[in-house]
Amino acid sequence: FTIPVEPAIPFQLGLLIENRGYGDANDVQIVSSQPEIVENEKGLLINFAIIGSRLGNTPTASKTLNIEFGDIASRSNVVCVWDMVSTLRGKFSNFSATFQYKGPINDDRLSLIESVEIYELTHIVRVVGDHPLGSGLGYVDDGQDDFLTNIRPDAFYVPDHVFTSDTRQGN
């Protein structure tokens, strides 16, 4: 008899770009990126496929990690989510990306990317209203995805931080 094949369960890769500056970031794009996924027990590389992506809440036609974000207004955020499947269960062991954008006078030599930080995404969530852990900060549901993450890895993989797309709040 034939053993049934379990269908792949989609997982997400999320990206939050914060423009903390007082000038717009023009023509923002990821020009190259490549995750490496390995199977936990044997360290085998795992193939993956991007089955969908969305910029904010708008689905994109892109089936790659290279995305054109366009212009990001000063003091605002942009959220991108990729839906992916893989051949085996595993974990990201390496991820690299190159970002590009033009500064206020369209000169990429004047651009400044302060940092690129990568965290374990536990779940995509939606933060709305006051929350006991938010000390009455009054998060507003801006209709964008927020990210429940594990920024301080521990043995139990307990998530410990929420990155919100609400531009009034600091992440």
Side-chain angles (χ1 to χ4, degrees):
F1 70 97
T2 304
I3 299 173
V5 176
E6 293 182 27
I9 299 172
F11 62 96
Q12 285 76 35
L13 175 66
L15 173 70
L16 172 67
I17 298 178
E18 297 178 298
N19 182 354
R20 296 180 182 177
Y22 291 99
D24 294 350
N26 301 314
D27 297 326
V28 178
Q29 56 188 312
I30 297 178
V31 291
S32 68
S33 57
Q34 182 61 47
E36 186 174 285
I37 306 174
V38 296
E39 193 260 331
N40 290 332
E41 294 177 16
K42 298 181 180 81
L44 301 171
L45 285 177
I46 297 174
N47 291 326
F48 65 90
I50 297 171
I51 58 173
S53 61
R54 58 190 178 277
L55 186 54
N57 289 330
T58 305
T60 70
S62 177
K63 299 289 189 204
T64 73
L65 294 172
N66 298 346
I67 295 280
E68 294 184 11
F69 297 93
D71 297 341
I72 301 175
S74 67
R75 314 299 288 172
S76 68
N77 296 341
V78 173
V79 172
C80 185
V81 175
W82 291 268
D83 296 308
M84 305 170 79
V85 292
S86 63
T87 54
L88 295 169
R89 185 180 174 134
K91 65 178 183 174
F92 283 94
S93 66
N94 188 19
F95 186 86
S96 61
T98 302
F99 297 88
Q100 176 178 306
Y101 72 101
K102 296 186 184 293
I105 59 172
N106 287 330
D107 186 346
D108 59 3
R109 294 175 297 165
L110 300 176
S111 298
L112 175 65
I113 294 178
E114 185 177 295
S115 67
V116 175
E117 300 170 16
I118 298 172
Y119 302 108
E120 177 184 316
L121 175 61
T122 304
H123 199 64
I124 293 178
V125 296
R126 182 70 54 85
V127 176
V128 290
D130 282 335
H131 187 276
L133 298 178
S135 302
L137 293 174
Y139 287 93
V140 172
D141 182 6
D142 59 2
Q144 304 295 313
D145 292 327
D146 302 305
F147 303 125
L148 179 63
T149 63
N150 187 9
I151 64 174
R152 289 178 213 84
D154 57 65
F156 301 106
Y157 302 102
V158 176
D160 51 29
H161 190 84
V162 174
F163 286 95
T164 176
S165 56
D166 181 355
T167 58
R168 300 174 317 117
Q169 310 301 325
N171 284 310

